[in-house]
């Protein structure tokens, strides 16, 4: 299978971040339209995160990784899988509340902010793999 992981990596970052922004604004401004936009961004973001994790696991078998880059790959994988699992749990919690913000909004928002931070930090590791170690590119940096 060809490495299609790079096609998907930006969707979860953008959608989950914007979904959180819409949710916070909807909650603070008491605007259902913003909360609804947050729901849709969050839902599509969770789906795209699942797809991105799957394509990342497939990509791992198509690239050469050695030494220090392997440790960075492991950190990248750990952050992305863990944060995606957290997003799935948050999405289920959100589904139970029927698209609205859960009753324990502050807990929901704190966990979501931490998860967005974790997926962003994990993405930093992915960028480091590509831009510092040339993983997945035709050009490999000098040893």
């Amino acid at each position: 299978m060809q490495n299609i992981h790079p096609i998907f990596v930006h969707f979860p970052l953008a959608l989950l971040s914007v979904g959180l922004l819409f949710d916070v604004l909807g909650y603070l401004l008491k605007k259902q339209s913003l909360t609804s936009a947050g729901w849709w961004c969050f839902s599509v973001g969770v789906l795209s995160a699942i797809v991105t994790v799957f394509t990342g696991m497939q990509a791992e078998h198509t690239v050469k990784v050695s030494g220090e880059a392997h440790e960075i790959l492991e950190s990248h994988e750990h952050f992305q899988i863990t944060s995606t699992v957290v997003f799935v749990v948050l999405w289920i919690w959100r589904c139970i509340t029927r698209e609205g913000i859960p009753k324990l909004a502050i807990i929901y928002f704190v966990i979501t902010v931490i998860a967005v931070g974790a997926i962003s930090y994990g993405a930093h590791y992915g960028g480091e793999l590509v831009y510092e170690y040339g993983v997945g590119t035709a050009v490999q940096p000098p040893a």
Side-chain angles (χ1 to χ4, degrees), residues 10-27 33-46 87 94 101 108-109 112 116-117 119-120:
H10 298 97
F11 289 100
L13 295 170
L15 289 165
L16 293 166
S17 298
V18 171
L20 173 61
L21 176 64
F22 282 148
D23 282 341
V24 169
L25 290 174
Y27 182 76
S33 59
L34 290 171
T35 302
S36 184
W39 158 255
W40 285 107
C41 286
F42 193 80
S43 296
V44 176
V46 170
F87 282 122
R94 188 87 181 261
I101 303 299
Y108 174 80
F109 285 132
T112 305
V116 166
I119 204 168
S120 298

Side-chain angles (χ1 to χ4, degrees), residues 4-115:
I4 60 172
H5 183 62
I7 295 170
F8 297 98
V9 296
H10 298 97
F11 289 100
L13 295 170
L15 289 165
L16 293 166
S17 298
V18 171
L20 173 61
L21 176 64
F22 282 148
D23 282 341
V24 169
L25 290 174
Y27 182 76
L28 294 176
L29 301 174
K30 309 276 190 257
K31 296 276 189 181
Q32 181 56 39
S33 59
L34 290 171
T35 302
S36 184
W39 158 255
W40 285 107
C41 286
F42 193 80
S43 296
V44 176
V46 170
L47 177 62
S48 68
I50 293 167
V51 170
T52 304
V53 165
F54 175 74
T55 61
M57 294 168 106
Q58 295 298 319
E60 188 175 9
H61 303 293
T62 68
V63 297
K64 278 184 144 179
V65 182
S66 60
E68 188 179 331
H70 183 71
E71 292 176 29
I72 293 169
L73 176 67
E74 291 299 316
S75 295
H76 171 66
E77 185 177 27
H78 171 77
F79 271 94
Q80 303 313 65
I81 290 172
T82 302
S83 58
T84 298
V85 168
V86 170
F87 282 122
V88 168
V89 170
L90 288 168
W91 184 79
I92 291 168
W93 185 13
R94 188 87 181 261
C95 284
I96 293 169
T97 64
R98 299 187 189 266
E99 298 182 18
I101 303 299
K103 297 250 187 259
L104 302 170
I106 190 71
I107 294 170
Y108 174 80
F109 285 132
V110 167
I111 294 170
T112 305
V113 166
I114 291 168

